[in-house]
Amino acid sequence: MKIRNPYNAIPEHNCFGCAARNPIGLKLDFEKDEDKVTARWMPTTDYQGFGDFLHGGIAATLLDEVAFWAVQALLDSSGVTSELDVKYLKPIHISHGQITVTAKLKGQVGKHLYTFETQLFDGTDVLCAEGIATYFVYPKELAKTKFMYPGKEALGL
């Protein structure tokens, strides 16, 4: 199920990960199935590190962004990254094409802390990076009033 990005209707929305209007951003779109959020993205040499390799910071950004959207889609709230632990398993070749990133809820580790298992696959479906993203998740009403969380209905869920 495609997740709608209602933030794109806000003129000042310029998120590097998901804003449709950010000229240098990743412009990610997301889908949700039962317990997982997924994004697919076509890398270009604008995001390379050395040679044909995706920059490691961009890989980490992809994992962090998919975890954020998992907070919204799976927990019906909003939050901020508390910690991101990334393991780079294999080089991510830009020439291998479309990258897929996923996030699944792993569990609650504190009153407002939740962890997500994240994975990044290259265009040949090789697992190249994985991570644990820990998010501080706001109570839903606070997320709506102070952090612009629009609710699951606005996400199309």
Side-chain angles (χ1 to χ4, degrees):
M1 170 183 299
K2 183 168 174 47
I3 300 173
R4 255 184 280 150
N5 185 341
Y7 305 107
N8 281 327
I10 302 168
E12 60 273 7
H13 177 63
N14 201 38
C15 174
F16 180 73
C18 70
R21 289 185 299 273
N22 186 325
I24 63 167
L26 304 178
K27 299 175 181 62
L28 295 172
D29 290 314
F30 302 89
E31 297 174 2
K32 176 192 176 287
D33 63 26
E34 291 178 27
D35 66 344
K36 179 171 64 175
V37 172
T38 302
R40 290 170 185 78
W41 177 71
M42 186 62 73
T44 67
T45 56
D46 292 329
Y47 303 101
Q48 76 182 34
F50 179 77
D52 182 41
F53 302 127
L54 183 69
H55 190 284
I58 298 298
T61 299
L62 289 163
L63 294 173
D64 186 37
E65 189 73 12
V66 75
F68 171 76
W69 282 84
V71 168
Q72 295 186 107
L74 303 177
L75 298 179
D76 193 20
S77 190
S78 187
V80 293
T81 310
S82 176
E83 186 175 341
L84 180 62
D85 179 26
V86 178
K87 290 183 176 56
Y88 299 94
L89 307 172
K90 300 206 180 263
I92 306 160
H93 293 272
I94 291 171
S95 62
H96 287 184
Q98 182 175 264
I99 288 170
T100 302
V101 288
T102 63
K104 285 180 145 181
L105 178 63
K106 184 175 178 183
Q108 187 171 359
V109 295
K111 183 174 181 183
H112 296 287
L113 293 175
Y114 292 81
T115 58
F116 294 84
E117 295 176 344
T118 60
Q119 296 182 311
L120 184 151
F121 299 88
D122 73 4
T124 62
D125 291 325
V126 171
L127 178 62
C128 294
E130 60 188 7
I132 299 295
T134 303
Y135 265 76
F136 182 93
V137 178
Y138 296 103
K140 185 176 179 180
E141 287 310 310
L142 183 60
K144 284 183 170 190
T145 59
K146 293 205 175 199
F147 298 99
M148 300 174 62
Y149 174 63
K152 274 190 166 183
E153 305 78 28
L155 302 175
L157 303 175

